[in-house]
Amino acid sequence: MLDFNALAEFSRANCTSICAFLIPANLIASSLTIILTILHRPTHQVWQAAGIASTFASVMILHVYTWFIIGVVMAPTYILLSLAITCLVTNLIAVLFQRRHINSHHISHNA
């Protein structure tokens, strides 16, 4: 069974390393989703990129919550939480935009 307390302690003890990976990973993966959407790539590519980016953002949110659980409320925790939420919303919007573009493209060709 997974021990949440041990996992949370690991997350806090390795905060610098985790953030050093997750911050660029979130930015790069979310940028890739946007680029694939702009380039009108196939739906499965956009969904795959958005899924990976959303996974990184979700891990970042869980990491920040491990700090909130022990009462650490500082600017970096809110900044990281804002980054993660922004990445999640950006990926959702990119997927919805791509889906809308595909639907409008099919409608215009069928007319």
Side-chain angles (χ1 to χ4, degrees):
M1 184 104 178
L2 191 61
D3 182 15
F4 178 75
N5 289 328
L7 191 58
E9 185 58 36
F10 174 83
S11 176
R12 290 188 298 268
N14 295 290
C15 183
T16 304
S17 301
I18 290 170
C19 288
F21 171 76
L22 284 177
I23 292 170
N26 271 295
L27 295 173
I28 292 168
S30 293
S31 296
L32 179 61
T33 304
I34 293 168
I35 290 167
L36 292 173
T37 302
I38 290 171
L39 295 176
H40 305 297
R41 301 302 300 163
T43 303
H44 72 277
Q45 289 181 356
V46 174
W47 276 80
Q48 185 177 26
I52 293 168
S54 296
T55 300
F56 288 143
S58 298
V59 171
M60 175 79 80
I61 290 170
L62 293 173
H63 173 65
V64 169
Y65 280 141
T66 65
W67 286 102
F68 284 152
I69 288 170
I70 63 167
V72 175
V73 180
M74 297 174 17
T77 52
Y78 287 112
I79 292 167
L80 293 174
L81 185 61
S82 298
L83 171 67
I85 291 170
T86 301
C87 288
L88 281 175
V89 170
T90 300
N91 284 288
L92 176 64
I93 290 171
V95 165
L96 293 175
F97 178 82
Q98 194 259 359
R99 196 170 189 173
R100 182 176 171 200
H101 176 74
I102 293 290
N103 287 341
S104 67
H105 187 69
H106 282 102
I107 291 171
S108 65
H109 280 284
N110 291 336

